[in-house]
């Protein structure tokens, strides 16, 4: 039995060891050609530039260790033997990088070199070794969950992290897969080396690396196109997708990359979750650290789609997945399987698998827009990162509503710039209005995981952030233009019942916003947050790409005689007004009247309401505990209710 187990990789025997057929080989060639069409491969010159950049970083690492040990008056023999080495991980190490991809790089130093030494000495040493202008950008972020230096070196993007081992020498042939090297490491060092260890184990556990890389390129491209590639909002990240592909490779060790892609969709769409996906038996090790085990740890039992890293200490790479994102992933896997089946029968081509998502064009009738705003660009970078990292928690709270079948978070935020002159214009922007968006600044999409400052705010414990939040005038002067930066995260809402006419998410939104406001660096004069409901036909133009068809407003219902239904004018007029449910006639006294506890208004009027009241008056409403909900709308319109914990319209 032991000899039989040694003949295959994985926790179970292969399903098939058949050699590929001519048709499968041809399909694989066509897949590779589609990669070229999709510009998924980097040209040789760029790849060569990456190699030279890494060689430079290796030289800088050795010099850095020598400089630090010299400053600490270590013996020359110790300095000469200290060494130092860089390791790559992520997409570059896996061999699935493309044009413009970052290189995730780990600098490993001996025990006498600290993390503080790294941030103090490595940047200036690197600058001295690089020709003038070679470093386009360098951003050290020492207080991140995993401390990082993000730099642009000779046109190559580098994410540089650091770890020191409890050894006196780091030779060039060091293998980080040795579990004994983990002894004596603190939590940050352990997290830093884990990326390289996991990547190396994945490559070691697949039968054929070339096949694995072809299949992973396809799955990664597909997941990015379908907008289900983002760990921070509740979808699998790069490592998780890689482990799923690796598991299928283990089950079909002789298959081509194209066959692995087809098997991937069919196997993973039918996987018996929460049964974990593992590439090897979970092992114990020399440290007193947590290893994923739902029999021991209660939190591990709630992982919906556990994909377990193969390197000790094993952990779940998909703990952020929610009920909604699980359903979305499963749907997309089923869809992908249907498409690949048609590709192999020549009904479709590989390009059809990589078609763009339909989140905004055909996805949902109703959307929530989570709008994070700040008065300065730097403040917005951090604040939007925090809000973006917590969107999945709002999704999880929305899932508790029995009327919501799916709350689907889009995997990127939309960054916009606005210019306002008056307090009313400013309030409208803070509540989500795009009326004052700058026409000379293009809307950009962001990814929290790629920006170091956003990444800091997105961590579970961002208490140490000391970046400036800027400032803002409480009331802009007339004709004086003020700039406001916003980032909007969209959530598509699928209702459990077609007949639903009222949806009250006031408590869910309030709890979630209050959690955001608990961020230690939150500044109510600088950071703003709102949540607004919108129909698909009211989505802003900049969420669509050229050539996409925008959803259109439904046609008016017709009477039996074929005439348009005419609403009662008095009723329609009433619905356009903001009227009190209690204490009739107190609207004029609203900023000062504490007895009025509830007002009703159409959701689409919230931005105008904020403009009328102003932020200061609104804050008074917040202190008075006012609760906002829309009054009865026409029967064909969904009614969405929000409480107002921090911004009217939230």
């Amino acid at each position: 039995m032991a000899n039989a187990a040694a003949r295959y990789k994985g926790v179970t025997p292969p399903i098939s060891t058949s050699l590929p057929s001519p048709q499968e080989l041809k399909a694989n060639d066509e897949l590779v050609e589609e990669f070229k069409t999709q510009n998924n491969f980097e040209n040789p010159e760029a790849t060569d530039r990456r190699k030279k950049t890494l060689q430079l970083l290796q030289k800088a690492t050795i010099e850095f260790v020598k400089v630090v040990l010299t400053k600490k008056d270590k013996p020359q023999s110790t300095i000469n033997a200290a060494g130092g080495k860089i390791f790559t991980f992520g997409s570059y190490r896996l061999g699935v990088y493309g044009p413009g991809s970052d290189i995730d790089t780990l600098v490993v130093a001996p025990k006498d070199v600290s993390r503080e030494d790294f941030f103090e000495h490595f940047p200036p040493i690197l600058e001295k070794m690089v020709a003038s202008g070679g470093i386009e950008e360098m951003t050290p972020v020492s207080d991140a969950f995993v401390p990082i230096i993000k730099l642009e070196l000779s046109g190559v993007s580098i994410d540089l992290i650091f770890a020191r081992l409890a050894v006196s020498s780091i030779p060039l042939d060091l293998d980080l897969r040795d579990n004994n090297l983990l002894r004596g490491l603190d939590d940050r060092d352990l997290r830093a080396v884990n990326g390289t260890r996991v990547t190396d184990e994945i490559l070691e556990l697949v039968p054929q690396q070339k096949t694995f890389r072809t299949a992973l390129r396809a799955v990664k491209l597909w997941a990015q196109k379908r907008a289900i590639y983002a760990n921070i909002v509740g979808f699998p990240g790069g490592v998780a997708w890689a482990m799923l592909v690796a598991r299928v490779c283990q089950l079909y060790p002789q298959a081509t990359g194209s066959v692995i892609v087809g098997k991937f969709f069919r196997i993973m769409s039918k996987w018996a979750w929460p049964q974990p996906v593992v590439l090897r038996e979970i092992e114990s090790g020399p440290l007193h650290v947590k290893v994923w085990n739902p029999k021991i740890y209660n939190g591990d039992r709630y992982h919906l789609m556990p994909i377990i890293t193969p390197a000790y200490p094993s952990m779940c790479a998909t703990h952020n997945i929610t009920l909604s994102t699980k359903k979305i992933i499963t749907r997309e896997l089923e869809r992908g399987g249907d498409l690949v089946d048609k590709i192999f029968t020549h009904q479709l081509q590989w390009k059809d698998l990589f078609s763009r998502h339909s989140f905004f064009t055909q996805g949902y009738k109703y959307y929530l827009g989570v709008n994070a705003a700040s008065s300065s660009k730097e403040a917005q970078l951090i604040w939007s990162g925090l809000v973006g990292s917590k969107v999945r928690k709002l999704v999880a709270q929305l899932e508790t509503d029995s009327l919501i079948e799916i709350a689907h978070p889009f995997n990127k935020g939309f960054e916009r710039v606005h210019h306002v002159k008056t307090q009313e214009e400013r309030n409208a922007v803070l509540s989500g209005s795009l009326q004052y968006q700058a026409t000379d600044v293009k809307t950009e999409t962001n990814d929290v995981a790629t920006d170091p400052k956003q990444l800091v705010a997105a961590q579970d414990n961002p208490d140490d952030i000391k970046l400036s939040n800027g400032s803002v005038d409480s009331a802009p002067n007339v004709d004086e233009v003020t700039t406001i930066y916003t980032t909007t995260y969209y959530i598509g809402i699928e209702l459990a019942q077609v007949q639903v006419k009222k949806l009250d998410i006031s408590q869910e939104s309030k709890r979630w916003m209050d959690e955001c406001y608990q961020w230690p660096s939150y500044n109510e004069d600088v950071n703003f947050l709102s949540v607004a409901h919108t129909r698909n036909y009211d989505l802003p133009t900049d969420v669509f790409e050229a050539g996409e068809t925008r959803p259109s407003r439904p046609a008016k219902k017709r009477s039996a005689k074929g005439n348009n239904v005419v609403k009662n004018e008095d009723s329609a007029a009433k619905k356009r007004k903001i009227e009190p449910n209690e204490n009739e006639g107190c609207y004029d006294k609203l900023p000062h009247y504490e007895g009025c506890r509830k007002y009703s208004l159409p959701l689409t009027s919230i931005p105008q309401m904020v403009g009328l009241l102003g932020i200061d008056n609104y804050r008074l409403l917040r202190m008075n505990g006012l609760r906002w909900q829309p009054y009865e709308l026409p029967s064909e319109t969904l009614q969405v209710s929000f409480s107002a914990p921090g911004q009217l319209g939230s």
Side-chain angles (χ1 to χ4, degrees):
M1 291 295 293
N3 291 335
R7 289 196 295 268
Y8 63 83
K9 296 185 177 183
V11 293
T12 61
I15 294 175
S16 172
T17 57
S18 299
L19 295 174
S21 66
Q23 180 189 8
E24 292 168 347
L25 291 170
K26 181 181 178 182
N28 194 73
D29 293 339
E30 292 171 348
L31 176 58
V32 173
E33 287 301 313
E34 182 59 31
F35 289 154
K36 296 176 182 178
T37 302
Q38 296 277 348
N39 193 32
N40 199 249
F41 290 120
E42 190 174 65
N43 62 58
E45 293 78 11
T47 299
D48 185 60
R49 188 162 58 247
R50 286 179 184 270
K51 293 178 180 178
K52 292 180 179 178
T53 299
L54 290 173
Q55 291 171 358
L56 176 61
L57 289 175
Q58 176 60 46
K59 292 179 181 179
T61 297
I62 293 176
E63 180 64 21
F64 154 67
V65 172
K66 289 181 177 180
V67 168
V68 171
L69 295 183
T70 299
K71 289 180 177 293
K72 295 183 177 182
D73 296 326
K74 297 296 179 181
Q76 190 61 45
S77 59
T78 301
I79 297 173
N80 294 338
K85 184 179 179 181
I86 65 168
F87 296 82
T88 60
F89 58 100
S91 62
Y92 182 81
R93 179 72 179 95
L94 290 172
V96 293
Y97 59 94
S101 296
D102 294 343
I103 302 180
D104 296 311
T105 308
L106 168 68
V107 172
V108 177
K111 61 182 180 181
D112 292 319
V113 180
S114 68
R115 188 177 300 108
E116 291 73 20
D117 294 328
F118 174 68
F119 281 95
E120 180 181 356
H121 298 293
F122 192 90
I125 290 173
L126 182 61
E127 288 176 339
K128 291 180 180 179
M129 300 182 69
V130 176
S132 178
I135 299 179
E136 291 92 350
E137 180 182 354
M138 184 183 299
T139 308
V141 187
S142 59
D143 48 9
F145 192 60
V146 177
I148 187 173
I149 295 177
K150 194 173 184 69
L151 59 95
E152 194 81 14
L153 178 59
S154 302
V156 180
S157 297
I158 306 288
D159 287 347
L160 207 59
I161 62 176
F162 172 84
R164 68 170 174 180
L165 303 182
V167 294
S168 58
S169 176
I170 306 294
L172 293 178
D173 61 353
L174 181 72
D175 188 349
L176 285 178
R177 289 181 296 170
D178 182 357
N179 288 347
N180 290 317
L181 292 175
L182 304 180
R183 296 180 184 275
L185 302 190
D186 63 22
D187 289 342
R188 287 188 171 185
D189 287 332
L190 191 60
R191 287 193 293 266
V193 301
N194 192 53
T196 297
R197 285 167 53 82
V198 168
T199 305
D200 288 349
E201 286 289 351
I202 291 173
L203 291 174
E204 181 67 23
L205 290 168
V206 294
Q208 299 184 63
Q209 291 187 9
K210 183 178 180 181
T211 298
F212 165 71
R213 284 169 174 150
T214 299
L216 181 55
R217 275 189 183 273
V219 170
K220 182 178 178 180
L221 178 60
W222 162 80
Q224 290 172 335
K225 291 286 188 178
R226 302 305 295 174
I228 55 172
Y229 188 98
N231 176 62
I232 204 162
V233 297
F235 293 109
V239 172
W241 287 120
M243 288 188 287
L244 292 182
V245 174
R247 182 65 185 121
V248 179
C249 288
Q250 292 177 339
L251 297 174
Y252 297 89
Q254 300 295 335
T256 64
S258 59
V259 170
I260 295 297
V261 172
K263 300 296 184 182
F264 164 84
F265 286 116
R266 288 310 182 200
I267 290 175
M268 293 307 162
S269 65
K270 303 299 183 184
W271 193 267
W273 306 108
Q275 176 182 329
V277 173
V278 295
L279 300 181
R280 58 181 294 179
E281 295 293 344
I282 298 175
E283 64 175 326
S284 58
L287 308 180
H288 295 290
V289 295
K290 177 184 175 182
V291 176
W292 188 84
N293 189 336
K295 295 180 180 180
I296 298 177
Y297 302 107
N298 190 52
D300 292 348
R301 299 171 192 168
Y302 295 98
H303 293 161
L304 301 176
M305 301 180 73
I307 303 171
I308 310 305
T309 56
Y312 172 82
S314 294
M315 58 190 70
C316 180
T318 47
H319 61 277
N320 285 342
I321 288 179
T322 69
L323 289 170
S324 289
T325 55
K326 178 187 174 184
K327 291 178 182 178
I328 296 160
I329 294 165
T330 302
R331 287 181 182 180
E332 288 291 347
L333 288 169
E334 291 173 348
R335 173 186 175 275
D338 293 340
L339 292 176
V340 175
D341 287 349
K342 292 181 179 179
I343 291 171
F344 271 94
T345 56
H346 307 293
Q347 300 177 60
L348 293 175
Q349 298 177 324
W350 284 110
K351 67 178 182 180
D352 297 305
L353 178 65
F354 306 126
S355 61
R356 177 176 155 86
H357 65 84
S358 58
F359 180 84
F360 295 109
T361 56
Q362 302 173 15
Y364 303 92
K365 289 175 63 178
Y366 310 106
Y367 294 84
L368 297 182
V370 177
N371 191 54
S374 300
S375 58
S376 74
K377 190 171 183 178
E378 183 183 21
Q380 178 62 9
L381 197 61
I382 304 169
W383 175 238
S384 64
L386 175 96
V387 172
S389 71
K390 293 185 179 295
V391 166
R392 72 177 186 276
K393 295 187 177 181
L394 174 59
V395 167
Q397 293 196 33
L398 294 173
E399 291 170 346
T400 63
D401 194 311
S402 61
L403 299 181
I404 296 178
E405 178 67 24
I406 285 180
H408 181 172
F410 191 63
N411 66 337
K412 294 182 183 294
F414 290 80
E415 298 178 338
R416 303 180 176 103
V417 178
H418 313 260
H419 299 315
V420 299
K421 292 183 178 180
T422 67
Q423 184 70 34
E424 290 72 22
E425 292 176 356
R426 172 174 172 267
N427 293 339
V429 169
L430 297 181
S431 64
S433 172
L434 302 184
Q435 184 178 354
Y436 307 101
Q437 183 178 355
T439 57
D440 58 338
V441 181
K442 182 181 178 181
T443 299
E444 301 287 349
T445 55
N446 77 345
D447 185 348
V448 172
T450 62
D451 191 284
K453 292 182 181 178
Q454 285 191 321
L455 200 58
V456 174
Q459 308 302 342
D460 292 333
N461 299 297
D463 300 25
D464 296 332
I465 299 175
K466 299 179 176 63
L467 297 172
S468 171
N469 271 333
S471 60
V472 66
D473 294 333
S474 59
N477 297 323
V478 177
D479 296 331
E480 181 180 341
V481 177
T482 299
T483 300
I484 298 176
Y485 301 87
T486 65
T487 304
T488 304
Y489 300 93
Y490 291 96
I491 302 174
I493 302 295
E494 179 179 316
L495 301 179
Q497 303 175 32
V498 178
Q499 294 80 12
V500 174
K501 299 300 180 184
K502 294 183 179 180
L503 179 62
D504 185 352
I505 58 173
S506 56
Q507 293 303 313
E508 292 90 342
S509 62
K510 181 182 187 305
R511 284 194 298 267
W512 179 76
M513 294 179 71
D514 284 344
E515 181 178 347
C516 292
Y517 294 139
Q518 294 305 310
W519 180 45
S521 296
Y522 170 70
N523 183 341
E524 66 177 7
D525 294 323
V526 176
N527 308 123
F528 308 93
L529 183 60
S530 66
V531 182
H533 159 251
T534 184
R535 290 292 299 267
N536 54 359
Y537 52 76
D538 286 327
L539 287 167
T541 304
D542 55 14
V543 303
F544 301 96
E545 288 194 350
E548 289 185 330
T549 302
R550 295 189 57 174
S552 57
R553 182 185 294 269
K556 292 183 179 180
K557 293 183 179 180
R558 294 181 177 273
S559 66
K561 295 182 180 180
N563 297 322
N564 288 340
V565 176
V566 179
K567 300 176 183 177
N568 180 280
E569 292 186 2
D570 293 338
S571 176
K574 182 177 181 180
K575 290 181 174 66
R576 288 194 298 269
K577 295 179 181 179
I578 300 172
E579 298 188 355
N581 287 343
E582 303 172 9
N583 301 304
E584 189 74 27
C586 70
Y587 173 72
D588 292 337
K589 302 177 182 179
L590 187 59
H592 314 287
Y593 191 77
E594 298 186 8
C596 184
R597 281 289 180 260
K598 182 179 289 187
Y599 271 72
S600 294
L601 68 161
L603 192 61
T604 54
S605 297
I606 288 177
Q608 291 92 325
M609 186 62 181
V610 177
L612 287 171
L613 294 177
I615 288 298
D616 293 335
N617 290 336
Y618 165 68
R619 286 175 179 153
L620 179 59
L621 298 182
R622 178 183 174 186
M623 288 188 294
N624 290 338
L626 274 172
R627 174 185 172 88
W628 296 84
Q629 62 182 22
Y631 53 72
E632 185 177 356
L633 300 177
S635 59
E636 68 273 11
T637 304
L638 175 68
Q639 192 175 153
V640 182
S641 300
F642 295 93
S643 62
Q647 280 287 348
L648 209 58
S650 60

